[in-house]
Amino acid sequence: MQPTLKFIAVLTFVQACTGFAWCVEDTDRAVDADVVLRGGTIVDGTGEPQYQGSVAVRSGKIVAVGAFALGKVGQVIDCQGLVICPGFIDLHNHSDHTILSPATKDASCYLTQGCTTLVTGNCGGGPIDVAKFYDALTAQGVGVNIAHLLPHGSLRSKVVGKSRAPPTDAQLEKMQQLADMAMREGAWGMSTGLIYVPGSYADTDELVAIASRVAEHRGIYASHIRDEGDALVESVAEAIDIGKRARLPVHVSHFKSVKRRNWGKVRVAAHLIEEARQSGQQVTADQYPYTASSTSIMAMLLSPDEREGGNQATAERLKNAAEALRLRPIVAEALAARDKMMIASSKQKPDWVGMLIREVAVAERCEPLDVAMEILLDASAQGVNFSMAEADVRFVMKLPWVATASDGSSKIDDGSRPHPRSYGTFPRKIGRYAIQENVLPLEAAVRSASGLPADILGMTDRGYVRVGQAADLVVFHPDKLEDRATYQEPFNRSVGIRWVLIGGQFAIADGELTKAMAGRPLRHGAELR
Ligand SMILES: [Zn+2]
């Protein structure tokens, strides 16, 4: 075949495959569009080198990328000096409740980071009635797209309760049936939270049994593993084993090693994952780019064995003096293993919010252990735990199979002092670590926030700047992209995001939130039905 003929044949084949004969990459033919992002630096989500070009959007989809002549165009946006990339997909989000609340349904703290899709149902917690959750989102309207995972902890809580008991055969069958239903209703997989009650009471066999049903629908197994410190390697090995036995992709959530004595161990765990990948297994992870973590203070200071019945029941037991005395050395040991801990929220001790435990101890003229025992009486108290090594954080973010994810949730300033990740994760990784500090190439950082999470989920219609994909797009100023949220001022919005399109609608226009509520639930398998 002559070269020219071969080229035409390939082009025809590509057009036939995409189903958009008029959709073009690099052509002289004039392109009609609703919006054209003209003349920017395109970083397309593949990790390939950036290039100069334009992107045309029509009827919610990307219809042309690269160099093309403009036909009838509704709006042209000059993107000179700006980066055009896919909308960011936050694989690990906890907006299950706040996304249905009037004050936070717009997810403005994520739009200002360039996020266009959030994945909920993580760490084993969240709604298990997937159809009802998606319908509620549609009825109410949402500012970003939402893709949901079936949370195993909530599933177990509904079927077995919060006790340590193993499920009966009937209960296991019931959990499998509900998993089946969740997947049919559009869940993208399942999640586990194996440090939380009651997920922690599930053994490996139980998880394999449920994951096997998820695998039948091509879902993933995402896990907050059993231990991220002393038993990190064994916990990663369990996740890999579950993937092998249940035959589904494994995803390790917020990959890290905590507590000073475990610093560096994340490299051993990464090696284990790379071996599994080389043997053909699909294993990936995600990370938030901070050295502090955050969860309930109860989960930080007491093992799951000591939290039977959940945080509320544990707080009740702690009111008993003998029980408190028994737990004191356990809490003392957990406290000693951490560099410092900040109280992020507490209903019972609002004056302590934003203070380190040791600062409270000085102010109250007591021991840090006394402060910890007191704050544990508040079952809902949250903490920020400074327990990771910066070198480990930088090592993990460079791994090509690690996605960027926030582990935060849509929120507004409510007087608490939460982890800044809900406002800063994506600009921090891309602006601070990639562009300013050159820890990794810009293309790799963008991929970790777009194409990679889409691939991990098996989401085929977004994640890339590519013809035929949904027009979820972000345009940012590379010199100005920066996270401004800190541990002391966690509600500061990120800066530098100029334009955000979700399904072709502007969620941010020229740096301003539009209140478009352009998101929608994304149902797994919907494109196949
Ligand atoms: Zn988690």
Side-chain angles (χ1 to χ4, degrees):
M1 201 187 283
Q2 286 180 1
T4 324
L5 279 177
K6 194 172 169 186
F7 175 69
I8 291 170
V10 168
L11 199 69
T12 311
F13 174 69
V14 168
Q15 289 176 347
C17 288
T18 58
F20 293 90
W22 58 89
C23 299
V24 283
E25 303 194 15
D26 281 345
T27 179
D28 291 337
R29 195 170 1 170
V31 173
D32 295 340
D34 303 326
V35 177
V36 170
L37 307 172
R38 187 166 66 183
T41 300
I42 298 177
V43 179
D44 67 5
T46 60
E48 294 297 316
Q50 54 182 264
Y51 60 96
Q52 295 300 305
S54 303
V55 178
V57 171
R58 190 171 64 234
S59 303
K61 292 204 164 167
I62 297 171
V63 293
V65 178
F68 50 86
L70 303 191
K72 247 200 302 180
V73 175
Q75 187 178 0
V76 176
I77 294 166
D78 179 13
C79 292
Q80 205 182 2
L82 304 177
V83 171
I84 304 171
C85 65
F88 304 143
I89 298 170
D90 185 357
L91 263 186
H92 194 91
N93 200 280
H94 287 289
S95 295
D96 304 75
H97 300 295
T98 56
I99 203 66
L100 286 170
S101 152
T104 43
K105 64 183 181 181
D106 62 353
S108 57
C109 63
Y110 281 96
L111 294 173
T112 48
Q113 296 185 59
C115 291
T116 52
T117 297
L118 309 180
V119 179
T120 51
N122 274 290
C123 296
I128 57 173
D129 188 337
V130 179
K132 189 173 157 199
F133 180 54
Y134 282 157
D135 287 347
L137 294 171
T138 305
Q140 170 217 258
V142 274
V144 288
N145 298 323
I146 299 289
H148 193 62
L149 297 169
L150 171 67
H152 162 264
S154 306
L155 178 68
R156 198 182 207 273
S157 188
K158 181 185 165 85
V159 177
V160 185
K162 288 190 172 170
S163 78
R164 212 179 304 196
T168 62
D169 288 350
Q171 285 171 329
L172 188 60
E173 175 60 29
K174 179 74 182 164
M175 286 195 281
Q176 288 178 313
Q177 280 171 7
L178 289 170
D180 223 32
M181 190 161 87
M183 291 305 295
R184 284 181 206 285
E185 291 171 352
W188 294 81
M190 68 182 280
S191 81
T192 56
L194 304 183
I195 70 156
Y196 298 114
V197 173
S200 56
Y201 301 137
D203 64 11
T204 308
D205 289 345
E206 173 185 328
L207 299 174
V208 169
I210 299 167
S212 298
R213 292 296 180 89
V214 170
E216 288 170 12
H217 304 271
R218 296 178 304 109
I220 66 166
Y221 173 80
S223 184
H224 178 151
I225 56 179
R226 288 202 197 264
D227 189 306
E228 297 179 326
D230 299 351
L232 170 68
V233 177
E234 295 83 342
S235 302
V236 167
E238 184 194 25
I240 292 173
D241 185 42
I242 289 167
K244 200 181 284 179
R245 290 170 57 195
R247 295 172 184 273
L248 83 178
V250 169
H251 182 76
V252 177
S253 302
H254 39 61
F255 190 41
K256 57 172 152 340
S257 53
V258 297
K259 299 181 197 165
R260 187 179 284 270
R261 63 177 178 252
N262 299 306
W263 288 1
K265 205 182 257 182
V266 76
R267 291 161 202 255
V268 181
H271 185 69
L272 202 64
I273 291 176
E274 278 171 354
E275 275 182 348
R277 290 170 58 84
Q278 273 157 19
S279 76
Q281 226 187 313
Q282 277 178 273
V283 187
T284 52
D286 63 57
Q287 178 204 38
Y288 48 86
Y290 296 86
T291 53
S293 61
S294 179
T295 188
S296 73
I297 291 179
M298 197 80 82
M300 286 177 186
L301 296 179
L302 289 173
S303 72
D305 283 348
E306 301 292 356
R307 285 184 273 123
E308 187 162 9
N311 286 5
Q312 198 59 53
T314 309
E316 283 303 317
R317 285 198 296 272
L318 271 162
K319 285 182 186 164
N320 177 304
E323 179 69 354
L325 201 62
R326 186 183 71 80
L327 291 173
R328 262 181 94 87
I330 295 172
V331 174
E333 201 270 318
L335 209 55
R338 286 163 169 81
D339 272 19
K340 49 183 181 173
M341 243 178 85
M342 189 182 86
I343 297 164
S345 71
S346 170
K347 289 191 185 99
Q348 292 174 20
K349 295 285 181 187
D351 293 350
W352 293 0
V353 169
M355 293 173 78
L356 298 175
I357 285 194
R358 63 172 178 238
E359 289 173 343
V360 176
V362 171
E364 303 280 337
R365 295 166 192 265
C366 62
E367 291 300 314
L369 180 55
D370 299 321
V371 177
M373 295 306 292
E374 181 83 25
I375 200 81
L376 282 171
L377 294 171
D378 181 350
S380 66
Q382 300 278 311
V384 172
N385 180 18
F386 297 84
S387 66
M388 284 173 252
E390 177 71 25
D392 282 356
V393 171
R394 288 172 185 241
F395 167 79
V396 169
M397 74 171 61
K398 289 191 279 195
L399 297 167
W401 40 268
V402 172
T404 305
S406 76
D407 199 10
S409 62
S410 178
K411 47 171 65 99
I412 50 169
D413 193 345
D414 59 354
S416 66
R417 206 70 73 78
H419 195 296
R421 61 197 178 188
S422 299
Y423 276 70
T425 292
F426 290 82
R428 185 175 177 84
K429 170 88 176 265
I430 297 166
R432 193 176 293 261
Y433 281 107
I435 298 173
Q436 289 174 32
E437 298 196 27
N438 256 314
V439 174
L440 73 169
L442 171 62
E443 289 87 346
V446 167
R447 171 162 176 73
S448 77
S450 55
L452 179 63
D455 291 354
I456 289 169
L457 289 166
M459 192 176 270
T460 54
D461 62 347
R462 55 201 84 214
Y464 294 93
V465 181
R466 189 182 282 163
V467 168
Q469 289 246 307
D472 291 358
L473 293 159
V474 172
V475 179
F476 67 83
H477 199 302
D479 300 330
K480 293 182 183 161
L481 186 66
E482 196 173 57
D483 60 309
R484 292 277 171 88
T486 63
Y487 295 101
Q488 288 309 313
E489 295 186 350
F491 298 104
N492 291 344
R493 279 184 180 151
S494 291
V495 295
I497 301 286
R498 282 284 292 279
W499 305 86
V500 174
L501 285 100
I502 301 182
Q505 286 186 65
F506 287 105
I508 290 185
D510 205 13
E512 299 294 328
L513 288 158
T514 64
K515 305 201 187 306
M517 302 299 280
R520 63 183 183 83
L522 304 179
R523 291 174 173 84
H524 181 226
E527 70 278 13
L528 303 174
R529 287 200 286 262

